Amino acid sequence: YAGGTAYVANDVVYYNGSAYIAKTSTTGNLPTSTAHWNTFATGSGGIWNAGLSLGSAGQAVKVNSAGNALEFGTISSDYVKLASVDSTSGEVSFDGFFTSDYKVYDVIAHQCMSSGTNWCKIFVNSGGSKVTASNYRVVAGGASRDSGADSTIKYSKWNEAYGIAHYWGGPGRFSARIFDPLDTTREKFIHISANSYQSDTKIWQESIVNVYHSDAAISGVTFGSSGTLEVFQADLYGIKT
């Protein structure tokens, strides 16, 4: 607040540790004058303080650690988007995003389509390259429905050269949760929930557990197909635990 400044309605000033908003045009009337000002934020510290710097790109205003003023800083999040991919051909990979910051990762695939009835494969990466050793073990179950009747889905694979992300080739979506990718004491588990709507003839819903039977750390995951992976659109998120 400056006594010689002409303020107009809705101007906000900082005065003696609080913020005030002008009710009308006023000059020389202290913010404590209720005829001219309303309290905007009592004891708000730096809300209108020249000592509060602008901060840096991506920062937000937050309460300081003492709880008595505002400051700019980075807001911590426990669920963070790390990467996106949008491909219309070939294999795609999320690699180099696994760090000690997160214990669990989600891949949200909002479009996954392979040629014909070919399924979508998932591989783990080691040192940036997909692993095709026969160390993948898969169990899956689910249900389907067409115009005629319900049916159940059950399949499993043992010591295959790939895991399964989505069994049916038609337009589908899935979420894949990857647990402890950097851990070096146990196998890597990837849990997947998937669904598809195949050529207007059948609805599929699957629950899939992929196990990479190795205690080596993995650097990422790669998605491919038994045919051609025509469309793959997905996001990768890190989860703090």
Side-chain angles (χ1 to χ4, degrees), residues 17-157:
S18 295
Y20 300 84
I21 184 167
K23 299 167 65 174
T24 184
S25 297
T26 177
T27 303
N29 295 295
L30 290 176
T32 51
S33 171
T34 56
H36 302 90
W37 300 88
N38 283 326
T39 301
F40 186 68
T42 301
S44 57
I47 195 170
W48 200 262
N49 187 338
L52 181 62
S53 64
L54 183 60
S56 303
Q59 291 186 319
V61 176
K62 62 180 184 178
V63 178
N64 66 8
S65 58
N68 58 11
L70 300 177
E71 64 182 9
F72 282 94
T74 302
I75 304 300
S76 175
S77 176
D78 292 336
Y79 196 87
V80 179
K81 184 176 179 178
L82 302 175
S84 297
V85 65
D86 187 345
S87 175
T88 56
S89 64
E91 293 183 339
V92 294
S93 181
F94 289 111
D95 196 83
F97 297 101
F98 296 163
T99 70
S100 58
D101 291 339
Y102 308 100
K103 295 276 286 183
V104 182
Y105 295 82
D106 277 350
V107 175
I108 308 298
H110 39 93
Q111 185 67 275
C112 174
M113 184 166 63
S114 299
S115 58
T117 58
N118 296 290
W119 56 86
C120 180
K121 297 179 179 180
I122 182 171
F123 304 86
V124 301
N125 292 0
S126 177
S129 300
K130 72 174 184 179
V131 177
T132 57
S134 298
N135 280 356
Y136 298 88
R137 299 170 180 180
V138 183
V139 291
S144 68
R145 172 73 195 192
D146 59 22
S147 59
D150 299 328
S151 62
T152 59
I153 305 167
K154 182 175 70 173
Y155 59 91
S156 61
K157 294 183 178 296

Side-chain angles (χ1 to χ4, degrees), residues 123-235:
F123 304 86
V124 301
N125 292 0
S126 177
S129 300
K130 72 174 184 179
V131 177
T132 57
S134 298
N135 280 356
Y136 298 88
R137 299 170 180 180
V138 183
V139 291
S144 68
R145 172 73 195 192
D146 59 22
S147 59
D150 299 328
S151 62
T152 59
I153 305 167
K154 182 175 70 173
Y155 59 91
S156 61
K157 294 183 178 296
W158 194 260
N159 288 347
E160 279 283 354
Y162 57 87
I164 293 177
H166 191 289
Y167 190 68
W168 198 250
R173 294 160 179 82
F174 66 83
S175 60
R177 178 155 290 179
I178 304 158
F179 295 89
D180 294 324
L182 300 183
D183 183 67
T184 58
T185 63
R186 54 186 174 180
E187 294 85 353
K188 307 302 175 289
F189 281 80
I190 303 175
H191 293 182
I192 295 176
S193 177
N195 63 72
S196 66
Y197 188 64
Q198 176 62 27
S199 303
D200 295 330
T201 61
K202 185 170 288 189
I203 302 170
W204 296 73
Q205 177 66 42
E206 306 161 272
S207 178
I208 309 168
V209 177
N210 293 273
V211 179
Y212 175 58
H213 186 57
S214 170
D215 58 7
I218 61 176
S219 63
V221 288
T222 295
F223 297 92
S225 174
S226 56
T228 300
L229 189 59
E230 296 177 336
V231 178
F232 191 82
Q233 301 168 336
D235 302 307

